[in-house]
Each structure stands twice: as C-alpha cells, then as structure tokens.
Amino acid sequence: QLPPIGYGNPFSDLLQMKSTFQSFELKTVHRQAAKSGILTDANKIRAGEFPVSEPALRVVSGENKDMLYAFRDDRENMQELSVRRFMSAVESHGIDNVVMVVPRRMNCLNSTDELNAMIQSKLFSKSVPSIRRGYDVFKLGARVIQTENNYEKSVMNGEMGYIVDLDERAPADDECISVRFKDID
C-alpha cells in the first residue's frame, strides 16, 4: 500500500494519539503458512533487515521454499526470466492462480504494458479476435482487472474477469468489450 500524498494520513495520525485512542497491533498473519518464505521475509523487512543476505542469480527462502529471488544485471534478461517464470507457473497452477506484480504500468521495458504484450503473444494465437485501443490490445479470452469502482455494475477496483465478447468493428469511442467477472452476470 502506498502512503498518501499530501493531506490524508488519518490512521497514522490517530495512532500517534495513544492517550486519546486505544489501538491494537495485529501480529498474527493468517494469509501465509507459518513456514512460508513470504512470511519470513516480510517479517525481516518489517524489522528493517534485507531479506537476502547475499544476492545470487537465484535465492529460494523459507522452509516451504516458496519465496524466490532472481537477480539479473540487465532489464532484458529480467524481462525474459519474468515471462518464462510466469508461463511456467501458469502451466503448473493455472492462469487463475498466478499473478505478476510489476511496479510500473507503462513507458519502460518491464512495465505492465510490455509484459502483458509478451505474455499475451504466448497465451493467444494471432488469429484470436482482438481490439486495439490506443496502446492497449484486448484479446478475446484474456484476463483483465478492473481499475476503478463501478457501482452501477457492482464491479470494484481489483476484481478480475475475462473478456467474453468484443466487437472488432465498433468505433474507438464505443463500448465494444464484454467482460465476465466472477459471481456477476
């Protein structure tokens, strides 16, 4: 979670007022296994420690061996490794159970836009119907994520769905993509 910009740091401000408000610190993690490298490394980071003692090409941590670090000297190698690992994870666990988190959305080599294009080229043949809107290409069957709340359609920021229909002939300013979100008709 990114810190707020400018005004709007209410929870941090409230925690500073310990004499006025009672607060509790949550210490038990329920989303990760106790022996998970994810949990172990998150605790190290919270304590101000770097989770990897000596960077190598590949470092696996945690008793469950579920946290992988891969260090590369250049962005092209990192891009190729990221796409290869993503595709391998999809093959092992299924597309619905794999997510790649990227810090930049666009305008750089390893942005979400760049990686999505590479992954889509591996997941979908060129004959799959698609629509280009600006720099974005939407392919029939592709998984998408909602990026803002839409109260009218009961679809919230962060929900994932699949493109189930698209109209390749629609003008650029028309709605031309149908997405099915889980549990929403």
Side-chain angles (χ1 to χ4, degrees), residues 6 15 18 22 34 37 45-46 58 78 124 126-127 137 141 154-155 164 179 181 183:
L15 288 172
K18 291 181 184 193
Q22 187 177 16
I45 291 168
R46 261 192 236 105
R58 178 183 165 97
M78 196 66 203
F124 299 100
K126 291 184 182 202
S127 63
V137 176
S154 297
V155 181
V164 294
V179 176
F181 291 94
D183 302 327

Side-chain angles (χ1 to χ4, degrees), residues 146 148-156 159 175-179 181-185:
Q146 180 74 11
E148 59 186 45
N149 292 337
N150 185 328
Y151 296 102
E152 189 176 298
K153 295 183 179 180
S154 297
V155 181
M156 301 300 133
E159 288 190 47
E175 290 186 19
C176 56
I177 299 172
S178 296
V179 176
F181 291 94
K182 206 175 208 177
D183 302 327
I184 299 174
D185 293 327

Side-chain angles (χ1 to χ4, degrees), residues 118-130:
M118 290 183 73
I119 289 167
Q120 281 191 9
S121 73
K122 294 184 179 302
L123 288 174
F124 299 100
S125 72
K126 291 184 182 202
S127 63
V128 170
S130 64

Side-chain angles (χ1 to χ4, degrees), residues 74-76 78-80 82 102-104 108-115:
D74 63 73
R75 292 179 183 175
E76 288 83 8
M78 196 66 203
Q79 183 180 64
E80 185 268 324
S82 298
V102 180
R104 301 266 315 260
C108 70
L109 182 64
N110 289 319
S111 66
T112 301
D113 288 349
E114 291 285 327
L115 291 169

